[in-house]
Every structure is written in structure tokens, then in C-alpha cells.
Amino acid sequence: MKKHIIALAGLLAGAMMVTSCSQARLDDVEQLGAIEVDKTYAEADDATAQQLIANVYVTVKYLMMGDWGVHYIATTSAKTAECWPGGSGPNDGTDYHRMSAMIDDSENNAYKEMYTRFYKIMYKCNRIVDQLNDGSDERKRVIAEAKAWRAWAMMRLTQLWGSAPLVEHVLDGDKYSFYPGNSDPEENWKWIMQQFDEAQAVLPSKSGLGGQKAIGGRWTKEACYAYMAQGYMWRNDYENAKIELAKVINSGKYELWTKTATMGPSSYGVNMELAKSNNADTWKDGNEEYEYLTLYRAEADFCDEFLLELDIDGDATTIANTEPYWFRAYMNWRKDEVNLPGNTTTASDGWGFINPTKTFAQAFARHDGNSIRRRANVATYSEVYHDFPYLSESARGVMSSGLFENEGYFRMKYYDFVDDVVPERFASGQTNGNTTNFPLMRYADVLLMYAEACCMSGEGTANITGLEALNKVRQRAGLTPAPALDMDNEEYGIKAERRFELWLDDCDRYVDLIRWGDYKDFITDTSDKGVSEHWGNECVWLLGMKDKNVRTDDPLDVSNYEVRYDPLSVRGSWNDRLYLFPFPYAETTQNPNLDQNTGW
């Protein structure tokens, strides 16, 4: 699969590239109606079919990993108030800052970009389903993958926008209008589940434990089962969710990742050893006692926990010029405001977006303490300063300018580890080559969905109980077993477990809050159990430490950090419109059949 993704940009030309890459809005499809059915599809051989579906995977990568804006992950995290939008200051990343202050509108570019890219996925998949010949098993598989991807895209459109138009065929202006109107969400869900079901009937399963690499990042039966279950959970249909989840669990082909690493020399790879050698006179080693789960490191690519992942590896051109670079640039710590540790890419860009709020980080710390899971997701400023390796011991910590939108907690999830960069590129001084895959569906989510479904409606047919499923996730995190299934218990409840286990995974937290009916209560709770008094009212700067010689093992202790809060000039307030995203202004003004969501 990978070789086809790499080759696609250079190989697909003519009508295919004109029609699939230039769309800005749904009504732009009008220009496609004049184009006769592309023989590329009707006469495609297996290799061409693989190139066509590879283009869909690349488009999904664009959506999830961004280019000039990590809109998907930034929007869904800003909406849950568990991450500061970040950037260089209040005027950087204004799309996300307006969301956090509840003053955004339908002209917000982040909504438009997400909406457009979801429909680009739909369009490219529709061309495959409508037009690709099914003359071989491989082409049947490609058609099934297209059905799965368009079901996935329509699922997210329906969850985030509600009555998003169901576009199940290539629009031609005759049988299928260029201006599709709002759809009934229930009809969308029926179609979504049908597409997943048709896809799973054709798609292969991996051979067993350790078999994911042979399939790569492509769809499998079990991935379809998991997403069907996710759809059933949204609709509170726990019985059918348990049936689909049991298929994954009982297959015996998936298990949780358990490998760990430390910040110390025992975990240094080739690139770290080179960095240490090149800076021998000033180097500071990291702490062996800072141990974390390596689930989001390159070594976990194609592991048995991932049911579906975006395959990031490729040749040098692909790495340098496609979405992983932009994703890393946005998500890397702000390199001109904090001295970066020696185990991250110091020469590449770091723009400092998506930083955990204190309320989230401390909720995580109260729940997990110093677990390998917490340290894989969030590090305290004390840990960053004292436990991480550095090129120079004298160049550590926040710079004099202060670090924007940081309260003393640093995001470790999606951290750009030096040792995950292609060694040849790092050795030549090029550090923007992180090859770590991006997981979309994990077995941990499957287990937690099963635990929830059992909690809500009794045991299912899986070969483990709901409590055993929950405790598998807790055990991996290093926590004590839960004594019973409970949704709301702060110590071992399923809601808390999903909050911390799945933080920044797809849009899981936002979707969970909506489907549980908890969103308004959470987002308007200004206590430390909610979003705090600072969220949306102020921006924050981490100025440094009061005493750099003081190290604390208590992740809740922020007494040594200097933090300043600056009031925002404009602040919104809760409105029920926030339960749904707005349809982009460009869509509603040019599509007479599309009604805007209430309140926008």
C-alpha cells in the first residue's frame, strides 16, 4: 500500500486530479458533471485501483494531520476545554481561540476546512464505488475500503454537524443535485451502518497477533466492527454494540501495547546517541525513573492495539512535503519560548499548539498519579526541567519571554522524539522526518466501549466480562483493578477512564460528552472539576520556576511555577447552538437547499 501512496501524486493526472483535488465546496462538483465517466475507473487494473484508494488514504491524512492548521484535532480539543489552543500569542491560531471563548461563527475557517475535507473523502470514495470495475478480488477490496472510508466520514459529519447532507453518489446535476439539502440524521446512520456492513463482508482480517504489518494501514473486518459499535454507542444501542465489539475481542487478534521507555540513557536510540556524542561537553542525561508507555512512538507502528492507523512512513520527498511535517510543526513545543529537550527535534519548527489545561492535567494526575500512561500523555514542568535530557544543562526551561498558554503542564502525546526520525535524515541535519503512524481506532477503545455497553445493559457474548475489559485498560496504565462497573465513579468509572485513555484520539472526548448528555454541564462548570475560571476568560503564560533547584514528584504541586493570566477583551457564553458545528458560511450562502444549524 505504501508504495502506491507515495507514487500517487506523480501518477494520477488528467480528469482524476482535476475533479478530486480542486473542490472547495459541494456545489463545486458542478464542473464534474460535464466530464464523461473516467476510463481510469472503468478499465482500471489492480495497480490502478490501489492508486485510487491510496489517494483516499492521503486525503484522510490531510484531514487528520493538517497543513496550514491542525483544524480537526485543534477544534475538537478546544471544544472540550481540555487543551489551550496555544501558538505564539493571542493573535496566533485565532480560529481556535475564538472557539475556546465561545465567540466563533460560521465563517471560522477551521469548520470550513474540516467540512470540505470530509466531503473530499466522500467524493473520492463515491467515484470508486460508483465507477470502479470489480473485476478482481483486489478491486472488490478497494471498493469495500471506499465504502468504509465514506461511512467513517459520514459518521463524523453526522456527529459534528447533525443533518449533514448525505452524498452517496457522484453529483451530476441530473439524478443527483449539485445542491444537496440537509439529511435526516437517522437516515444517515442507517446508511453509515449499511456501508460498514457491506465493507466488512469483503475486507480481510489480519492473520493473527503480529499480523498487522502485512496489511499495513488498510481497513479490515475488525476495524469495521469497531466503528459499527461506535455508531451503535452514539445511538445508545448497547445490545448491537456488544455484538460487534465481541467479534473483535473474540477474534484473539488484538491486544494492548505494553512496552515502555525512560528518559534515561538506557532508552537512547541511534539518533540520541549521535546527539549526545555531538554535544558531549554540555549534554545532560535524562532520568531513568521517568518511565512512560511508548504507544505513540514509531516502535508501536502496526502493533496489535491498532485496528486502523494512518501509515506515515515513506520516502524523503513524502516526509518533507506532506502532512506529517505540518502536524509536527504545529504540535511541537514552542521553540522560541522554551528550551527544547535534547530528545526532540530542535532544528525543526515548533509552533506550540494544543497544550493541556491545568484542570485536565490535574484531573489526570489525581486519577493516575505518576503512571506510565499519564507520563506518556502529560508531563509536569518539574519533570520536563529535571528529568528530560538536554543538549546543554545550562539551557533548560522557559525563556524570558514566557511560554504562551501553558500552566505548568506539557503535552507528551504526539511528542516529536528524535529517535523516531529517519536516522539518515537526522545524521544529515534534517530533523523533519518523523515516521510515527497516527492511530485512528485502538483496541483500548474497543475494550472501553464494551465495558460501557455491559455497564449499561448487562453482559454480552465476548469471552471476557465488561469488568475484565475495563481492567485490562487500567492494568496496562498501572492502576489497581476496578471493583465494579460504574459510569461516574471518579476513581474507576468508565467516563473517567475514557477521558484519560483516549485524550486527543480522533474526536472521542467531544463525541463522548455529547452522547452522554454531559457537554453543557461540563463546559459551563468553572470549578476545577470542570473548565476552571480561566478557560475562555483569560489567556495564560508560564513564566518559569521560582526556584530551579526544587524538584517535585507530586504532579499536582504547582507551587514552584510562575504563571500569569491576562484577561480576554471579548468573551462569549454558553448557547445551545454549541451542541453542533455550524455549516460553513460559504456553503449556506451558495447552496439554497442547505439550512444552517440553529443559532449559527
Side-chain angles (χ1 to χ4, degrees):
M1 174 57 116
K2 187 179 305 282
K3 63 183 179 182
H4 301 299
I5 292 177
I6 294 169
L8 184 68
L11 293 177
L12 289 187
M16 197 305 181
M17 293 304 291
V18 170
T19 58
S20 68
C21 295
S22 61
Q23 296 182 67
R25 300 178 302 275
L26 291 180
D27 55 289
D28 279 349
V29 178
E30 182 170 0
Q31 63 183 311
L32 310 179
I35 299 176
E36 191 175 341
V37 175
D38 194 336
K39 290 184 179 180
T40 300
Y41 293 83
E43 300 177 1
D45 58 13
D46 288 354
T48 302
Q50 288 175 340
Q51 292 169 1
L52 295 171
I53 195 62
N55 189 236
V56 175
Y57 281 86
V58 169
T59 306
V60 175
K61 185 171 69 174
Y62 275 41
L63 167 71
M64 298 301 299
M65 307 193 76
D67 44 21
W68 284 107
V70 282
H71 298 307
Y72 189 82
I73 194 168
T75 295
T76 53
S77 61
K79 288 281 189 177
T80 61
E82 293 185 340
C83 292
W84 293 101
S88 63
N91 296 318
D92 192 9
T94 54
D95 289 342
Y96 318 136
H97 289 288
R98 291 180 65 81
M99 289 178 189
S100 67
M102 300 185 193
I103 57 172
D104 57 320
D105 54 37
S106 63
E107 294 186 69
N108 188 308
N109 188 60
Y111 294 128
K112 185 187 76 170
E113 287 297 320
M114 284 189 293
Y115 189 82
T116 299
R117 291 186 184 198
F118 275 121
Y119 278 107
K120 282 184 178 180
I121 295 167
M122 295 283 291
Y123 168 72
K124 293 178 182 182
C125 290
N126 288 343
R127 289 207 73 178
I128 292 172
V129 175
D130 287 356
Q131 299 170 2
L132 181 65
N133 76 84
D134 63 352
S136 70
D137 288 343
E138 180 60 25
R139 273 163 268 167
K140 288 182 173 69
R141 179 183 180 183
V142 165
I143 292 170
E145 288 177 282
K147 289 182 176 181
W149 273 129
R150 69 180 187 174
W152 176 85
M154 198 67 225
M155 173 185 284
R156 295 295 179 251
L157 283 163
T158 304
Q159 289 172 321
L160 301 178
W161 278 273
S163 61
L166 176 58
V167 181
E168 53 187 312
H169 296 284
V170 175
L171 305 182
D172 58 8
D174 181 16
K175 188 175 181 180
Y176 306 109
S177 171
F178 292 136
Y179 303 101
N182 305 76
S183 295
D184 179 350
E186 186 57 33
E187 292 304 310
N188 286 357
W189 280 111
K190 290 178 182 178
W191 182 84
I192 290 164
M193 303 308 264
Q194 178 188 10
Q195 294 301 297
F196 279 132
D197 192 46
E198 291 179 4
Q200 66 81 22
V202 175
L203 291 170
S205 298
K206 69 174 185 176
S207 59
L209 292 173
Q212 190 64 36
K213 191 172 181 65
I215 289 179
R218 301 180 73 174
W219 279 87
T220 61
K221 287 182 184 295
E222 286 74 22
C224 289
Y225 299 152
Y227 278 107
M228 289 178 73
Q230 199 175 80
Y232 285 129
M233 296 295 285
W234 173 267
R235 302 162 76 194
N236 298 323
D237 185 349
Y238 302 113
E239 294 300 328
N240 276 315
K242 285 186 291 189
I243 291 171
E244 300 303 325
L245 294 165
K247 293 176 184 177
V248 180
I249 295 169
N250 293 345
S251 74
K253 297 177 179 181
Y254 296 91
E255 195 48 87
L256 298 177
W257 177 264
T258 58
K259 293 183 180 180
T260 63
T262 76
M263 288 296 167
S266 67
S267 296
Y268 292 174
V270 172
N271 293 344
M272 280 292 286
E273 292 291 356
L274 178 60
K276 181 176 180 178
S277 175
N278 290 342
N279 298 273
D281 293 338
T282 57
W283 180 267
K284 174 192 176 296
D285 275 325
N287 191 345
E288 295 287 2
E289 294 184 7
Y290 187 105
E291 184 181 9
Y292 64 95
L293 188 71
T294 57
L295 182 62
Y296 289 87
R297 298 288 306 274
E299 66 176 282
D301 290 355
F302 308 119
C303 70
D304 289 320
E305 181 160 349
F306 297 163
L307 279 75
L308 185 64
E309 61 199 287
L310 297 178
D311 186 355
I312 302 304
D313 200 2
D315 65 11
T317 302
T318 301
I319 292 170
N321 295 305
T322 57
E323 299 341 88
Y325 169 77
W326 296 111
F327 180 77
R328 297 294 171 182
Y330 271 90
M331 301 294 276
N332 287 353
W333 299 355
R334 189 79 200 181
K335 62 177 293 185
D336 57 353
E337 295 179 352
V338 62
N339 291 293
L340 298 181
N343 61 355
T344 193
T345 53
T346 56
S348 63
D349 286 316
W351 298 342
F353 286 87
I354 320 301
N355 306 311
T357 62
K358 184 174 75 171
T359 51
F360 171 76
Q362 294 201 335
F364 205 154
R366 284 192 296 270
H367 189 272
D368 270 40
N370 289 329
S371 73
I372 59 172
R373 176 172 67 180
R374 195 272 294 168
R375 283 177 162 167
N377 284 275
V378 177
T380 70
Y381 185 28
S382 182
E383 290 168 334
V384 169
Y385 189 87
H386 293 285
D387 296 344
F388 284 41
Y390 282 88
L391 301 181
S392 174
E393 186 165 9
S394 62
R396 291 182 286 161
V398 174
M399 297 179 186
S400 59
S401 61
L403 180 58
F404 182 61
E405 293 205 320
N406 188 298
E407 296 174 281
Y409 295 93
F410 290 71
R411 175 184 41 75
M412 290 302 298
K413 196 166 193 173
Y414 310 125
Y415 185 75
D416 200 2
F417 282 94
V418 161
D419 277 329
D420 292 334
V421 174
V422 177
E424 293 78 9
R425 291 178 62 79
F426 183 77
S428 68
Q430 302 177 67
T431 58
N432 58 330
N434 191 308
T435 63
T436 307
N437 286 356
F438 190 94
L440 294 177
M441 173 60 72
R442 296 194 285 124
Y443 189 53
D445 196 357
V446 170
L447 292 171
L448 291 176
M449 283 193 287
Y450 190 72
E452 179 180 346
C454 291
C455 182
M456 298 300 291
S457 65
E459 293 297 332
T461 59
N463 55 20
I464 58 174
T465 66
L467 182 58
E468 288 171 332
L470 173 62
N471 282 330
K472 277 180 174 286
V473 178
R474 288 179 59 84
Q475 180 182 8
R476 192 266 298 274
L479 307 182
T480 59
L485 288 177
D486 187 280
M487 290 298 294
D488 297 306
N489 185 281
E490 291 186 5
E491 181 182 347
Y492 57 80
I494 293 167
K495 287 183 180 180
E497 203 62 46
R498 287 188 63 83
R499 181 185 187 186
F500 305 121
E501 178 64 37
L502 304 176
W503 182 58
L504 298 184
D505 275 22
D506 202 332
C507 58
D508 288 335
R509 175 61 174 167
Y510 178 79
V511 165
D512 281 349
L513 287 170
I514 296 292
R515 69 181 179 89
W516 289 330
D518 293 345
Y519 186 50
K520 179 179 180 180
D521 288 343
F522 177 77
I523 210 73
T524 57
D525 181 355
T526 57
S527 74
D528 287 342
K529 290 187 176 181
V531 301
S532 88
E533 62 181 333
H534 304 296
W535 176 260
N537 288 312
E538 300 166 311
C539 61
V540 60
W541 294 84
L542 177 63
L543 303 179
M545 285 185 177
K546 298 173 184 176
D547 186 344
K548 294 181 178 180
N549 295 315
V550 174
R551 181 188 182 279
T552 177
D553 288 323
D554 181 1
L556 297 172
D557 183 3
V558 296
S559 61
N560 194 36
Y561 308 156
E562 292 188 88
V563 177
R564 187 187 78 227
Y565 294 94
D566 295 336
L568 298 178
S569 58
V570 181
R571 159 70 179 169
S573 60
W574 172 264
N575 187 300
D576 283 351
R577 71 178 188 167
L578 297 173
Y579 284 119
L580 291 171
F581 288 8
F583 291 108
Y585 179 78
E587 290 284 343
T588 56
T589 55
Q590 298 187 47
N591 181 350
N593 298 321
L594 183 63
D595 294 329
Q596 182 59 275
N597 281 326
T598 303
W600 293 100

